[in-house]
């Protein structure tokens, strides 16, 4: 078994994968930058106990992180529990699967790299990858498996929070389908705007990028808000909740699809 850890701005996801590349279990908790080694040790132990994972079962541990402030703490917690030094996903790991043709590749977020690897390994190329987390990111991979760039957009919840914070008469609302697409009250207007507005944005981006690529373009979505937004898109988009974890697995631990 392998432990895969995705350290995102809002959430840390820990998953287990078998030698065939299947994600067998996963748990998550909030990313807290001010916590200590003991906090991460507790969260890791709790998940392992819940899913019956023994340290002897673990062959390797890989981490993708966009929050460097917690890297040393979580790495030490892993070593304390398992005796295994985790491998942090790097640009070199990604380049086993992809060519990268952008300015300053070293500045590319590890989450976007892992998404791109997962897309190519599991779905093929060319691909448009939409990751709907704290930010909504778009990655583009050509038919010859070259990552050529993309977009970074304020995320669904990030946008909604900013709107509510800046407009005193607009409350926070649950992100769900409103009774009417044309809102008849403030709640419906906000729900319709955030849901259909983001779905239309995704469709518009896909419609603009797809003609620049050759071949059968795969469109893959992942991230916490994908399940909410993508079903309302007009384009055919595959939702793969574990895309980033799969990319991390294939790129770092020698698992092949």
């Amino acid at each position: 078994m392998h432990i895969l850890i995705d350290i995102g701005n809002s959430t840390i996801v820990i998953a287990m994968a078998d030698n065939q590349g299947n994600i067998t279990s996963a748990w998550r908790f909030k990313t807290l930058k001010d916590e200590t080694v003991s906090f991460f040790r507790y969260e890791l132990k709790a998940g392992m106990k819940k899913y019956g994972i023994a340290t002897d079962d673990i062959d390797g541990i890989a981490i993708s992180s966009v929050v460097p402030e917690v890297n040393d703490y979580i790495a030490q917690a892993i070593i304390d529990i398992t005796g295994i030094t985790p491998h942090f996903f790097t640009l070199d790991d990604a380049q086993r699967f992809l060519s990268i043709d952008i300015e300053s590749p070293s500045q590319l977020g590890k989450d976007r790299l892992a998404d791109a690897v997962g897309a190519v390994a599991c779905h093929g190329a060319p691909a448009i990858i939409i990751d709907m987390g704290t930010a909504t990111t778009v990655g583009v991979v050509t038919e010859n498996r070259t990552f050529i760039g993309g977009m970074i957009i304020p995320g669904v919840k990030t946008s909604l929070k900013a709107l509510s914070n800046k407009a005193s008469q607009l409350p926070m609302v649950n992100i769900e389908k409103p009774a009417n697409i044309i809102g008849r009250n403030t709640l419906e207007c906000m729900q319709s705007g955030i849901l259909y507005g983001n779905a239309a944005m995704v469709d518009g981006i896909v419609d603009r990028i797809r003609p620049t690529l050759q071949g059968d373009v795969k469109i893959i979505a992942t991230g916490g808000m994908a399940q909410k937004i993508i079903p309302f898109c007009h384009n055919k988009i595959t939702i793969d909740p574990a895309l980033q974890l799969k990319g991390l697995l294939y790129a770092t631990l020698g698992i092949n699809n």
Side-chain angles (χ1 to χ4, degrees), residues 2 46 56 173 183 232:
H2 306 274
D56 291 345
V173 299
F232 296 93

Side-chain angles (χ1 to χ4, degrees), residues 20-39:
Q20 287 71 50
N22 302 305
I23 306 297
T24 59
S25 57
W27 63 98
R28 64 184 62 221
F29 51 93
K30 288 184 179 180
T31 304
L32 300 174
K33 297 179 183 179
D34 297 329
E35 283 293 350
T36 63
V37 173
S38 61
F39 168 78

